[in-house]
Amino acid sequence: MKHTTWLLALLLPFTHELNAQKKADRKTLGNLQAHITFLASDKLEGRRTGTPGEQLAAEYISTQMKLAGLTPKGDSGYLQTFPVSEGKLIATASHLTVNKTTLTPGEQFIPLPFSAQKSAKGDVLRDVNEPENIWLFNVKDFEMQPHADPLEIYRQNAREAAKAGATGVIFYNGDETPKEIQKWLSVAVDPLTIPVMWVNSETSKLLSETEDLRINMQVSFTAGRRTGTNVVGYIDNKAASTIVIGAHFDHLGHGEDQNSLAPNDKTIHHGADDNASGTAALLELARLLKTSHLQKYNYLFVAFSGEELGLFGSKYFTEHSSVAPGSFNYMINMDMVGRLDPTRGLQVGGIGTSPVWPALLQQTIPVDIHTTYDSSGIGPSDHTSFYLKNVPVLFFFTGTHSDYHKPSDEAAKINYPGELTVIKLVYTLVEKTNNMDKLVFTHTRDKQTTSTGSPRFTVTLGIMPDYTWQKAGVRVDGVTDNKPASKAGILANDVIVELGSYTIVNLEDYMQALSTFKKGDKTTVKVRREDSEKVFDVQF
């Protein structure tokens, strides 16, 4: 009996601690589900940068940071706004008059993105294209290949017309809608020497039914801008250095920015895993660290927007942080951490950015969690912006899946216990660094960069890389319809080993090679497909 009493005395504290941990885990799981369910709801309409849905998400994140007791560190409370360039907009000076009919810009006519900002006028015979006059092209006369890029077809015809002496070009009877043509204005393309317009079906009918036409046209553009919003909260432990934890919260909206892998589906892209999951993890780590004993460092929590457009939010933040970037100890980025799967496991990027990472991660991540590692500080998410400022980084990611960048990325598909596991791993890692000095930064494999510090891409192959792929080459995880890869015949599961004259060993090689091409360039892509190699001709 005495032995039993003694044993119970030993077990009681352990049992109490275990029950407390289970209760804490249940709270975190409940919070994760609430965060992701709201952020991925129809009400937020896909959280596209600069939209009311993004603003609702930012307000929610701000409220949660306030409830967690974080100090605001944005420009206006928790919020930090930043500009996003979105190509050309039709300026008010643009006009088109046919005989005595003045047409409406953006609806009845739209200047094409390669148009010169000039005016032209003349008396035009519909079926006669003569030098020193405006030319009319009936698009129904074109021989369009099934996978042809109509924008490129229009550009080629307009360029030839300019060489032949045309003073302006109007395309009519095209199959596109004004909404589709408006999207073309975001495409970066060099201007021609003459003004060029597309007209809708109503105006096409006017041009088709009138023999003698008096046309006056002028094209003028303004730079398109929208405003994105980061959300920033802070735990001030009066320390000299600060740990940054980040996740992007923006997503694709209805796919308006042409970054959907379901290009014909204009419904809401919910973005539960990408990246409501990382945002929810950010909020829960903020809550846990606020009440923790880990106080050697300050903590800065940043929910970025504009990631899907090209890391706009994190790039802006690293240039305009209210906490000096020189004081940053390291940055942890969580992007798509909601689909932990035993077969794919966990990927951790950036382990080469500080010499302490490999040993720390080995001590932190249990051996039963299949983990793949990437040394590079450059990657397809916001940690890249910090690495380029010489800050050690880690990138946590549970892999792509068939719902990536599609409306079907929904809250019901999140593995909540798996996400809790990721949160615990990040917390343990932070806990281990609490007893360490500020980390040493190391450069990983360098690549040619532009003056802004990152590769300049003007073209896309139209593939989704498998970021968990650890063998030589870049494995294709998805192919976007009507992009160069799709048109050439490249398929999912192909492994790209050469792009033009560049040998592709890893994702860095692929990104560097891609940055050397411009629209209109032709090259070859060599892939491994099962046990054979195939070479495809592509044109950007």
Side-chain angles (χ1 to χ4, degrees):
M1 188 67 178
K2 289 181 180 178
H3 289 295
T4 304
T5 304
W6 175 73
L7 182 60
L8 284 171
L10 285 176
L11 289 174
L12 279 173
F14 174 77
T15 303
H16 176 74
E17 183 178 335
L18 185 63
N19 288 336
Q21 185 58 55
K22 287 182 177 178
K23 183 177 180 181
D25 287 350
R26 285 196 298 270
K27 180 176 178 60
T28 301
L29 284 169
N31 288 347
L32 287 174
Q33 189 163 6
H35 298 326
I36 294 173
T37 298
F38 177 79
L39 291 170
S41 66
D42 286 355
K43 182 179 181 180
L44 272 63
E45 294 192 294
R47 310 185 306 278
R48 180 175 177 252
T49 300
T51 64
E54 181 221 37
Q55 290 300 301
L56 285 174
E59 290 171 11
Y60 178 86
I61 296 164
S62 299
T63 299
Q64 295 301 314
M65 286 185 173
K66 184 176 181 179
L67 289 172
L70 305 191
T71 302
K73 275 292 179 180
D75 301 326
S76 176
Y78 294 96
L79 306 182
Q80 178 193 58
T81 58
F82 59 90
V84 177
S85 173
E86 54 177 345
K88 301 179 179 73
L89 296 178
I90 304 171
T92 54
S94 292
H95 65 259
L96 175 62
T97 302
V98 178
N99 294 336
K100 295 182 179 181
T101 304
T102 299
L103 303 171
T104 304
E107 295 179 14
Q108 294 176 305
F109 77 90
I110 300 173
L112 292 176
F114 50 78
S115 173
Q117 298 191 69
K118 290 183 178 180
S119 61
K121 59 183 178 180
D123 295 312
V124 180
L125 293 175
R126 188 180 62 246
D127 297 320
V128 179
N129 289 330
E130 55 188 2
E132 303 301 319
N133 207 349
I134 295 170
W135 287 24
L136 305 181
F137 282 114
N138 186 346
V139 178
K140 292 193 182 301
D141 293 336
F142 294 169
E143 293 184 8
M144 290 281 197
Q145 298 300 319
H147 298 293
D149 180 356
L151 177 60
E152 182 60 21
I153 297 296
Y154 288 170
R155 189 180 71 89
Q156 290 173 0
N157 278 276
R159 182 176 56 195
E160 293 303 315
K163 288 181 179 178
T167 58
V169 167
I170 296 175
F171 293 98
Y172 68 102
N173 283 336
D175 293 330
E176 304 84 9
T177 65
K179 186 176 180 181
E180 290 171 326
I181 300 297
Q182 288 275 14
K183 291 180 182 178
W184 290 358
L185 294 178
S186 64
V187 177
V189 58
D190 292 335
L192 300 180
T193 57
I194 59 174
V196 184
M197 290 180 176
W198 172 96
V199 297
N200 71 350
S201 57
E202 178 187 356
T203 309
S204 295
K205 185 177 180 181
L206 173 64
L207 296 180
S208 299
E209 295 178 350
T210 307
E211 187 68 29
D212 297 321
L213 299 161
R214 177 66 180 171
I215 296 177
N216 190 333
M217 64 187 293
Q218 180 169 334
V219 173
S220 182
F221 294 118
T222 60
R225 290 284 186 273
R226 56 177 141 150
T227 300
T229 304
N230 295 327
V231 191
V232 191
Y234 188 57
I235 297 175
D236 187 0
N237 290 322
K238 310 301 181 185
S241 298
T242 298
I243 294 169
V244 184
I245 299 177
H248 79 89
F249 72 93
D250 64 305
H251 195 54
L252 310 188
H254 292 257
E256 298 95 330
D257 294 312
Q258 304 179 54
N259 44 8
S260 169
L261 286 179
N264 296 320
D265 190 341
K266 303 306 179 186
T267 56
I268 294 169
H269 289 56
H270 297 92
D273 189 28
D274 184 15
N275 186 34
S277 66
T279 306
L282 173 84
L283 293 173
E284 288 308 289
L285 281 165
R287 181 179 63 83
L288 295 170
L289 286 168
K290 178 62 178 177
T291 58
S292 76
H293 63 282
L294 308 178
Q295 299 180 352
K296 182 173 181 177
Y297 296 103
N298 310 314
Y299 297 96
L300 191 61
F301 300 89
V302 192
F304 304 107
S305 189
E307 190 269 357
E308 299 287 5
L309 301 175
L311 314 187
F312 277 95
S314 57
K315 288 176 184 176
Y316 185 88
F317 178 81
T318 56
E319 297 288 346
H320 303 86
S321 172
S322 55
V323 177
S327 71
F328 294 165
N329 184 1
Y330 59 85
M331 188 268 186
I332 291 179
N333 180 33
M334 297 172 292
D335 193 348
M336 296 177 62
V337 292
R339 296 279 194 103
L340 187 63
D341 178 89
T343 56
R344 287 198 311 266
L346 177 68
Q347 182 184 358
V348 183
I351 69 167
T353 62
S354 180
V356 307
W357 285 142
L360 270 180
L361 289 163
Q362 188 175 23
Q363 297 166 20
T364 301
I365 301 177
V367 293
D368 60 340
I369 296 179
H370 174 64
T371 308
T372 55
Y373 297 98
D374 179 9
S375 65
S376 177
I378 297 287
S381 192
D382 292 302
H383 59 285
T384 299
S385 300
F386 289 81
Y387 168 76
L388 294 172
K389 296 296 184 182
N390 297 338
V391 177
V393 297
L394 285 180
F395 172 41
F396 285 83
F397 173 62
T398 57
T400 56
H401 41 75
S402 60
D403 300 307
Y404 174 78
H405 276 205
K406 296 177 182 177
S408 54
D409 182 8
E410 297 171 330
K413 297 179 180 179
I414 297 295
N415 175 2
Y416 291 99
E419 180 159 351
L420 175 61
T421 297
V422 176
I423 289 173
K424 286 185 172 183
L425 292 178
V426 174
Y427 184 93
T428 301
L429 191 73
V430 171
E431 187 175 37
K432 289 182 181 299
T433 62
N434 191 63
N435 299 318
M436 301 172 60
D437 293 334
K438 187 178 179 184
L439 272 57
V440 174
F441 170 78
T442 52
H443 284 282
T444 57
R445 186 178 179 212
D446 288 334
K447 64 200 301 180
Q448 184 179 347
T449 58
T450 67
S451 60
T452 59
S454 58
R456 182 183 301 278
F457 299 101
T458 60
V459 296
T460 177
L461 194 56
I463 66 145
M464 173 61 197
D466 180 357
Y467 294 112
T468 64
W469 181 254
Q470 293 297 301
K471 299 178 183 179
V474 170
R475 180 180 174 274
V476 178
D477 211 27
V479 180
T480 303
D481 290 342
N482 295 320
K483 296 293 185 182
S486 170
K487 293 175 183 178
I490 296 170
L491 303 175
N493 297 319
D494 285 348
V495 178
I496 298 173
V497 293
E498 287 183 11
L499 180 55
S501 61
Y502 296 86
T503 300
I504 308 301
V505 177
N506 52 35
L507 192 58
E508 290 183 15
D509 293 333
Y510 173 74
M511 294 167 68
Q512 178 59 44
L514 195 63
S515 69
T516 65
F517 294 97
K518 63 183 184 298
K519 188 172 178 64
D521 285 351
K522 296 180 180 180
T523 190
T524 58
V525 180
K526 180 186 286 188
V527 306
R528 284 199 311 271
R529 181 178 293 174
E530 297 179 345
D531 296 327
S532 64
E533 287 190 341
K534 296 181 178 294
V535 178
F536 298 92
D537 294 319
V538 299
Q539 181 173 9
F540 295 106

Short mmCIF file of all heavy atoms in Angstrom, two decimals, residues 352-353 375-378 387-388 390 441-449 453 455 506-509 511-512:
data_model
loop_
_atom_site.label_atom_id
_atom_site.label_comp_id
_atom_site.label_asym_id
_atom_site.label_seq_id
_atom_site.Cartn_x
_atom_site.Cartn_y
_atom_site.Cartn_z
N GLY A 352 20.84 26.24 -45.13
CA GLY A 352 22.22 26.67 -45.36
C GLY A 352 22.46 28.12 -45.00
O GLY A 352 23.58 28.62 -45.14
N THR A 353 21.42 28.84 -44.51
CA THR A 353 21.57 30.27 -44.25
C THR A 353 22.17 30.57 -42.88
O THR A 353 22.44 31.73 -42.58
CB THR A 353 20.21 30.98 -44.38
OG1 THR A 353 19.29 30.47 -43.40
CG2 THR A 353 19.63 30.79 -45.77
N SER A 375 18.97 23.70 -48.79
CA SER A 375 19.90 24.65 -48.17
C SER A 375 19.66 26.09 -48.60
O SER A 375 19.98 27.03 -47.87
CB SER A 375 21.34 24.26 -48.51
OG SER A 375 21.55 24.40 -49.91
N SER A 376 19.03 26.30 -49.76
CA SER A 376 18.97 27.64 -50.36
C SER A 376 18.11 28.61 -49.56
O SER A 376 17.04 28.25 -49.05
CB SER A 376 18.43 27.54 -51.78
OG SER A 376 18.29 28.83 -52.35
N GLY A 377 18.56 29.85 -49.50
CA GLY A 377 17.75 30.92 -48.90
C GLY A 377 16.78 31.53 -49.89
O GLY A 377 15.91 32.31 -49.51
N ILE A 378 16.94 31.17 -51.17
CA ILE A 378 16.03 31.65 -52.23
C ILE A 378 14.95 30.60 -52.43
O ILE A 378 15.24 29.42 -52.57
CB ILE A 378 16.78 31.84 -53.56
CG1 ILE A 378 17.86 32.92 -53.41
CG2 ILE A 378 15.82 32.19 -54.68
CD1 ILE A 378 17.35 34.31 -53.32
N TYR A 387 16.22 36.75 -46.69
CA TYR A 387 17.54 36.21 -47.04
C TYR A 387 18.35 37.23 -47.83
O TYR A 387 19.55 37.39 -47.62
CB TYR A 387 17.38 34.92 -47.85
CG TYR A 387 18.67 34.46 -48.48
CD1 TYR A 387 19.66 33.86 -47.73
CD2 TYR A 387 18.91 34.69 -49.84
CE1 TYR A 387 20.87 33.47 -48.31
CE2 TYR A 387 20.10 34.31 -50.43
CZ TYR A 387 21.08 33.69 -49.66
OH TYR A 387 22.27 33.32 -50.24
N LEU A 388 17.68 37.94 -48.74
CA LEU A 388 18.38 38.93 -49.56
C LEU A 388 18.83 40.14 -48.74
O LEU A 388 19.57 40.99 -49.25
CB LEU A 388 17.49 39.37 -50.72
CG LEU A 388 17.19 38.27 -51.75
CD1 LEU A 388 16.16 38.75 -52.76
CD2 LEU A 388 18.46 37.82 -52.47
N ASN A 390 20.37 39.47 -45.87
CA ASN A 390 21.38 38.81 -45.03
C ASN A 390 20.82 38.39 -43.66
O ASN A 390 21.51 38.49 -42.65
CB ASN A 390 22.62 39.68 -44.86
CG ASN A 390 23.34 39.94 -46.17
OD1 ASN A 390 23.18 39.18 -47.12
ND2 ASN A 390 24.09 41.01 -46.24
N PHE A 441 24.84 34.55 -40.08
CA PHE A 441 24.26 34.39 -41.41
C PHE A 441 25.30 33.86 -42.38
O PHE A 441 26.46 34.27 -42.36
CB PHE A 441 23.75 35.74 -41.93
CG PHE A 441 23.34 35.73 -43.38
CD1 PHE A 441 22.13 35.18 -43.76
CD2 PHE A 441 24.17 36.26 -44.37
CE1 PHE A 441 21.73 35.16 -45.09
CE2 PHE A 441 23.79 36.24 -45.70
CZ PHE A 441 22.57 35.69 -46.06
N THR A 442 24.89 32.94 -43.25
CA THR A 442 25.77 32.48 -44.33
C THR A 442 25.01 32.53 -45.65
O THR A 442 23.81 32.22 -45.71
CB THR A 442 26.26 31.04 -44.09
OG1 THR A 442 25.14 30.19 -43.84
CG2 THR A 442 27.22 30.99 -42.91
N HIS A 443 25.72 32.90 -46.71
CA HIS A 443 25.13 32.91 -48.05
C HIS A 443 25.03 31.47 -48.56
O HIS A 443 25.93 30.66 -48.35
CB HIS A 443 26.00 33.72 -49.02
CG HIS A 443 25.86 35.19 -48.84
ND1 HIS A 443 24.79 35.91 -49.32
CD2 HIS A 443 26.68 36.10 -48.22
CE1 HIS A 443 24.94 37.20 -49.01
NE2 HIS A 443 26.07 37.34 -48.35
N THR A 444 23.94 31.18 -49.24
CA THR A 444 23.85 29.91 -49.95
C THR A 444 24.26 30.15 -51.38
O THR A 444 24.74 31.23 -51.73
CB THR A 444 22.42 29.35 -49.85
OG1 THR A 444 21.49 30.30 -50.37
CG2 THR A 444 22.07 29.04 -48.41
N ARG A 445 24.07 29.15 -52.23
CA ARG A 445 24.57 29.24 -53.58
C ARG A 445 24.07 30.51 -54.25
O ARG A 445 22.88 30.75 -54.37
CB ARG A 445 24.08 28.03 -54.38
CG ARG A 445 24.67 27.96 -55.78
CD ARG A 445 24.18 26.71 -56.48
NE ARG A 445 24.72 26.66 -57.84
CZ ARG A 445 24.08 26.13 -58.87
NH1 ARG A 445 22.89 25.62 -58.69
NH2 ARG A 445 24.64 26.11 -60.05
N ASP A 446 25.01 31.36 -54.71
CA ASP A 446 24.64 32.65 -55.28
C ASP A 446 24.10 32.47 -56.69
O ASP A 446 24.42 31.52 -57.39
CB ASP A 446 25.86 33.59 -55.34
CG ASP A 446 26.25 34.07 -53.95
OD1 ASP A 446 25.37 34.10 -53.08
OD2 ASP A 446 27.42 34.41 -53.76
N LYS A 447 23.32 33.44 -57.12
CA LYS A 447 22.80 33.46 -58.47
C LYS A 447 22.83 34.89 -58.99
O LYS A 447 22.84 35.83 -58.21
CB LYS A 447 21.37 32.92 -58.50
CG LYS A 447 20.41 33.77 -57.73
CD LYS A 447 19.16 33.03 -57.35
CE LYS A 447 18.45 32.52 -58.56
NZ LYS A 447 17.24 31.79 -58.20
N GLN A 448 22.84 35.05 -60.28
CA GLN A 448 22.82 36.39 -60.85
C GLN A 448 21.51 37.08 -60.50
O GLN A 448 20.44 36.51 -60.63
CB GLN A 448 22.96 36.30 -62.37
CG GLN A 448 23.05 37.67 -63.04
CD GLN A 448 23.21 37.54 -64.53
OE1 GLN A 448 23.49 36.47 -65.05
NE2 GLN A 448 23.02 38.63 -65.24
N THR A 449 21.60 38.31 -60.02
CA THR A 449 20.40 39.03 -59.62
C THR A 449 20.34 40.37 -60.31
O THR A 449 21.33 40.87 -60.85
CB THR A 449 20.37 39.25 -58.10
OG1 THR A 449 21.56 39.98 -57.72
CG2 THR A 449 20.34 37.94 -57.34
N GLY A 453 17.89 42.87 -56.42
CA GLY A 453 18.31 41.76 -55.58
C GLY A 453 17.62 40.45 -55.90
O GLY A 453 17.86 39.46 -55.25
N PRO A 455 15.84 37.74 -59.19
CA PRO A 455 15.82 37.53 -60.63
C PRO A 455 14.67 38.29 -61.28
O PRO A 455 13.60 38.40 -60.72
CB PRO A 455 15.61 36.01 -60.75
CG PRO A 455 15.98 35.44 -59.43
CD PRO A 455 15.68 36.51 -58.43
N ASN A 506 18.71 22.01 -60.17
CA ASN A 506 17.79 22.30 -59.07
C ASN A 506 16.93 23.51 -59.44
O ASN A 506 17.05 24.07 -60.54
CB ASN A 506 18.56 22.55 -57.77
CG ASN A 506 19.64 23.60 -57.93
OD1 ASN A 506 19.49 24.56 -58.69
ND2 ASN A 506 20.76 23.42 -57.26
N LEU A 507 16.08 23.93 -58.51
CA LEU A 507 15.15 25.03 -58.78
C LEU A 507 15.88 26.35 -59.02
O LEU A 507 15.44 27.18 -59.81
CB LEU A 507 14.17 25.17 -57.61
CG LEU A 507 12.96 26.07 -57.84
CD1 LEU A 507 12.14 25.60 -59.03
CD2 LEU A 507 12.10 26.14 -56.59
N GLU A 508 17.02 26.54 -58.34
CA GLU A 508 17.80 27.76 -58.55
C GLU A 508 18.26 27.85 -60.01
O GLU A 508 18.21 28.92 -60.63
CB GLU A 508 19.00 27.79 -57.62
CG GLU A 508 18.65 28.00 -56.16
CD GLU A 508 19.88 28.09 -55.29
OE1 GLU A 508 20.98 28.27 -55.83
OE2 GLU A 508 19.74 27.96 -54.06
N ASP A 509 18.76 26.73 -60.56
CA ASP A 509 19.19 26.72 -61.96
C ASP A 509 18.04 27.07 -62.88
O ASP A 509 18.19 27.82 -63.86
CB ASP A 509 19.73 25.33 -62.34
CG ASP A 509 21.01 24.97 -61.62
OD1 ASP A 509 21.76 25.89 -61.25
OD2 ASP A 509 21.26 23.77 -61.45
N MET A 511 15.27 28.83 -62.19
CA MET A 511 14.89 30.24 -62.05
C MET A 511 15.90 31.14 -62.76
O MET A 511 15.53 32.11 -63.43
CB MET A 511 14.78 30.60 -60.57
CG MET A 511 13.63 29.89 -59.85
SD MET A 511 13.73 30.03 -58.05
CE MET A 511 13.40 31.79 -57.85
N GLN A 512 17.18 30.81 -62.62
CA GLN A 512 18.21 31.62 -63.27
C GLN A 512 18.10 31.52 -64.79
O GLN A 512 18.18 32.54 -65.50
CB GLN A 512 19.60 31.16 -62.82
CG GLN A 512 20.75 31.92 -63.47
CD GLN A 512 20.69 33.41 -63.21
OE1 GLN A 512 20.44 33.81 -62.08
NE2 GLN A 512 20.90 34.21 -64.22
#
